[in-house]
């Protein structure tokens, strides 16, 4: 492999990138925009208590509390509506009272009360809800400790690990930066194909491996350079920097492979943009699930970017080590290897 040829190809590709004003502007403006978004987002957690009650038969003490407009306590007509409200983030917790609660209390028994918590509920919520139920039960019966509770967290349990919204945005913004380079690299290759530059280069002493090496270096370099700069500015390397850098390198390789695939399956710059935006939306879905826990379910694990965003989230926001995210890294490595190999094979056929 002739490194002088690769160097010349890199200079040519970088020059073409600078000439493409649209993607160059989108790259620069996008990076600045994501950094601004991070710093203007709230850096504190909203600890306001939002709770609800589901009760087929509402005890008087509970109904008085619900009726008071000063309290942020909602009443739900069905248990399914109450659970959905928790999963959607409309309320942080729901107290589900059994239908026979008044009869059980009258007979001196202890009713079982179910409590459903949101995965984003603050640490103090559990004690606050239990204290609330105890107080209302005491008002209703004149006795203390007259119930048992079954507690359930809806979605991933992050109780005690609350982080500000802007920190939850870091994985999503990182994948946005990486995905923009899919469009940039694919547009670069598509432009060469339209102009016949790639075929002209292949009749020179340059080999196909040298061509792909240059494309891979420019793709990984642009993606990795930008996302590393972003993570440095937002403090993304404050915890487990080697793991964070490793996952960003894998992410850069993955988007380079996706850029190869996108360029090989499209015939013009317009089609690159159209199909690229669809790919952009799909890959962004796991990041939205991190910003809003409970929004998506386990089906998102079929999207390769899930293992990138989930790893960045766990390492940057929760200080996870290799024992926690090692499985994610292996799966992401597998996805990356398959995507890069597929991109090279398909794009090579396009050149032939």
């Amino acid at each position: 492999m002739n490194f002088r040829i690769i160097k010349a190809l890199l200079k040519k590709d970088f020059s073409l990138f600078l000439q493409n004003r649209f993607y160059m502007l989108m790259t620069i403006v996008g990076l600045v925009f994501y950094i601004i978004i991070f710093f203007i987002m709230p850096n504190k957690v909203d600890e306001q208590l939002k709770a609800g009650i589901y009760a087929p038969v509402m005890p008087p003490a509970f109904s008085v509390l619900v009726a008071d407009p000063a309290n942020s306590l909602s009443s739900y007509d069905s248990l399914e509506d109450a659970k959905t409200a928790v999963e959607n983030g409309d309320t942080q917790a729901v107290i589900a009272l059994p239908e026979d609660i008044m009869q059980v209390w009258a007979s001196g028994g202890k009713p079982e009360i179910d409590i459903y918590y949101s995965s984003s509920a603050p640490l103090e919520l559990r004690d606050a809800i239990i204290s609330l139920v105890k107080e209302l039960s005491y008002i209703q019966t004149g006795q203390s400790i007259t119930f048992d509770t079954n507690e359930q967290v809806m979605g991933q349990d992050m109780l005690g690990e609350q982080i500000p919204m802007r920190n939850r945005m870091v994985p999503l913004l990182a994948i946005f930066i990486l995905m923009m380079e899919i469009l940039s690299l694919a547009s670069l290759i598509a432009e060469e194909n339209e102009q016949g530059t790639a075929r002209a280069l292949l009749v020179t002493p340059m080999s196909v491996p040298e061509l792909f090496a240059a494309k891979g270096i420019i793709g990984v370099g642009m993606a990795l350079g930008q996302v590393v700069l972003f993570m440095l500015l937002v403090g993304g390397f404050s915890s487990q920097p080697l793991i964070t850098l490793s996952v960003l390198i894998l992410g850069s390789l993955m988007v380079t492979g996706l850029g190869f695939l996108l360029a090989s399956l499209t015939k013009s710059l317009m089609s690159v943009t159209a199909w690229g935006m669809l790919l952009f939306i799909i890959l962004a879905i796991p990041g939205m699930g991190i910003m809003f826990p409970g929004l998506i379910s386990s089906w998102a694990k079929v999207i390769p970017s899930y293992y990138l965003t989930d790893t960045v989230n766990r390492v940057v926001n929760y200080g996870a080590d290799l024992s926690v995210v090692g499985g994610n890294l292996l799966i992401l490595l597998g996805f990356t290897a398959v995507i890069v190999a597929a991109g090279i094979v398909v794009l090579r056929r396009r050149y032939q």
Side-chain angles (χ1 to χ4, degrees):
M1 187 174 290
N2 193 324
F3 291 99
R4 292 180 61 187
I5 294 178
I6 294 176
K7 182 179 178 181
L9 288 172
L10 288 174
K11 292 176 65 176
K12 175 190 69 66
D13 287 342
F14 189 69
S15 177
L16 283 176
F17 173 72
L18 293 179
Q19 293 174 19
N20 191 328
R21 295 182 179 179
F22 174 74
Y23 283 110
M24 184 185 70
L25 184 63
M26 288 297 294
T27 298
I28 297 173
V29 172
L31 181 59
V32 174
F33 181 67
Y34 298 144
I35 294 172
I36 292 174
I37 286 178
F38 174 83
F39 284 106
I40 66 175
M41 289 297 291
N43 60 356
K44 296 181 180 179
V45 180
D46 181 11
E47 299 291 351
Q48 182 181 3
L49 175 61
K50 297 178 182 179
I53 292 180
Y54 163 69
V57 177
M58 185 75 73
F62 287 77
S63 61
V64 170
L65 187 66
V66 172
D68 188 349
N71 298 315
S72 56
L73 200 63
S74 305
S75 177
Y76 296 95
D77 296 329
S78 70
L79 183 58
E80 289 304 316
D81 289 343
K83 289 182 178 180
T84 301
V86 176
E87 291 174 345
N88 293 341
D90 298 330
T91 187
Q92 295 168 309
V94 163
I95 304 166
L97 304 179
E99 186 174 0
D100 60 347
I101 187 170
M102 297 301 293
Q103 292 89 338
V104 174
W105 271 334
S107 63
K110 290 185 179 181
E112 287 197 356
I113 298 176
D114 296 324
I115 303 176
Y116 300 92
Y117 297 102
S118 167
S119 59
S120 59
L123 176 62
E124 297 82 6
L125 181 65
R126 185 166 299 175
D127 291 337
I129 292 293
I130 295 296
S131 297
L132 174 64
V133 177
K134 282 183 178 180
E135 183 65 23
L136 292 174
S137 299
Y138 179 78
I139 293 173
Q140 183 66 47
T141 65
Q143 303 177 35
S144 59
I145 315 178
T146 57
F147 64 92
D148 294 320
T149 58
N150 296 317
E151 299 172 277
Q152 179 179 340
V153 175
M154 309 296 290
Q156 186 179 0
D157 189 357
M158 294 297 181
L159 198 62
E161 300 178 323
Q162 297 308 300
I163 56 173
M165 175 61 77
R166 75 177 191 180
N167 292 57
R168 292 208 301 269
M169 288 186 68
V170 168
L172 181 63
L173 296 178
I175 196 66
F176 278 178
I177 293 171
L178 290 173
M179 287 188 299
M180 182 55 65
E181 294 317 306
I182 298 177
L183 299 176
S184 298
L185 180 60
S187 67
L188 182 67
I189 297 173
E191 185 176 0
E192 285 187 340
N193 288 334
E194 283 187 332
Q195 297 175 354
T197 307
R199 292 184 181 275
L201 288 171
L202 290 175
V203 300
T204 67
M206 181 199 68
S207 64
V208 174
E210 289 167 347
L211 177 63
F212 277 103
K215 300 298 183 195
I217 292 172
I218 196 73
V220 172
M222 289 194 302
L224 185 62
Q226 293 180 71
V227 76
V228 166
L229 175 60
F230 170 76
M231 296 296 279
L232 283 171
L233 292 175
V234 302
F237 289 104
S238 58
S239 174
Q240 305 289 347
L242 291 179
I243 297 178
T244 303
L245 181 61
S246 298
V247 74
L248 294 180
I249 291 173
L250 287 175
S252 301
L253 287 168
M254 182 180 70
V255 298
T256 299
L258 289 171
F260 287 166
L261 282 173
L262 182 60
S264 64
L265 299 174
T266 53
K267 298 182 179 180
S268 66
L269 290 175
M270 290 299 294
S271 57
V272 165
T273 302
W275 287 105
M277 291 309 298
L278 176 61
L279 184 62
F280 194 104
I281 294 171
I282 294 172
L283 294 178
I285 290 174
M288 298 301 296
I290 290 174
M291 281 188 61
F292 306 102
L295 182 64
I296 60 175
S297 56
S298 58
W299 63 264
K301 293 183 179 180
V302 303
I303 304 175
S305 60
Y306 170 86
Y307 302 95
L308 172 63
T309 54
D310 186 59
T311 302
V312 172
N313 179 51
R314 290 176 181 273
V315 173
V316 174
N317 292 327
Y318 301 105
D321 56 20
L322 192 59
S323 64
V324 176
V325 300
N328 275 3
L329 290 175
L330 288 176
I331 296 174
L332 181 60
L333 177 61
F335 269 119
T336 300
V338 171
I339 290 171
V340 171
I344 291 175
V345 169
V346 177
L347 188 58
R348 186 168 185 168
R349 289 182 179 177
R350 180 75 179 271
Y351 284 147
Q352 293 175 349

